Amino acid sequence: MSRNVEERRDALVAAARAVRERAHAPYSRFAVGAAVLDEQGRIHAGCNVENAAYPQGWCAEASALAVMVSSGGRRVLAVAVVGVADDPVTPCGGCRQKLREFAAGDCPVWVADLSTLRATFTLDELLPCSFGPEHLKP
């Protein structure tokens, strides 16, 4: 991990905390915020958005990735996820795979609550032996 990425950790976590406040979670009441740092040094944040037809909602990480892609970003250098629970709130399995589309295995994933950095993982730790875009190249 580059020093520049590490220096952006606090800003990334702050963006995830701020966007978490905008989550649409009327059913679970479980708000999550996520932020990704792209290859241009920009931070893109997203929150979870629930739907009355449960499978139609989307996660905070997927929202942040959509914002990044729509802004022209193509690589994720770091991720922050903010949720409040007894255990650290990590990306779900589907979001781990979505992150893998844009991030390398050594991409840091910082997990925080409203006041504390709870844990640090790499994407490889969260999604070992993953399948990614390089598998489809001839």
Side-chain angles (χ1 to χ4, degrees):
M1 171 179 24
S2 76
R3 183 174 171 206
N4 188 35
V5 170
E6 183 71 27
E7 289 172 352
R8 302 296 309 272
R9 183 187 68 199
D10 291 343
L12 204 61
V13 171
R17 283 183 180 132
V19 76
R20 180 187 168 276
E21 298 301 317
R22 297 187 191 119
H24 178 73
Y27 309 108
S28 72
R29 306 261 190 266
F30 192 77
V32 179
V36 297
L37 178 68
D38 76 10
E39 73 279 10
Q40 298 175 50
R42 300 175 300 176
I43 293 174
H44 308 279
C47 57
N48 59 317
V49 180
E50 294 180 351
N51 188 290
Y54 288 120
Q56 299 306 312
W58 56 91
C59 298
E61 299 87 345
S63 295
L65 288 171
V67 171
M68 181 192 78
V69 169
S70 66
S71 298
R74 293 293 178 260
R75 294 293 305 154
V76 171
L77 303 181
V79 181
V81 179
V82 173
V84 178
D86 290 341
D87 293 320
V89 177
T90 61
C92 72
C95 284
R96 292 173 190 200
Q97 185 63 47
K98 288 175 179 75
L99 288 165
R100 178 62 176 85
E101 182 70 16
F102 299 98
D106 63 351
C107 176
V109 179
W110 296 304
V111 179
D113 58 23
L114 299 182
S115 61
T116 307
L117 182 66
R118 305 272 314 269
T120 300
F121 301 95
T122 64
L123 190 53
D124 272 347
E125 290 173 321
L126 294 175
L127 190 66
C129 303
S130 66
F131 183 84
E134 68 280 1
H135 289 95
L136 299 176
K137 293 184 181 175

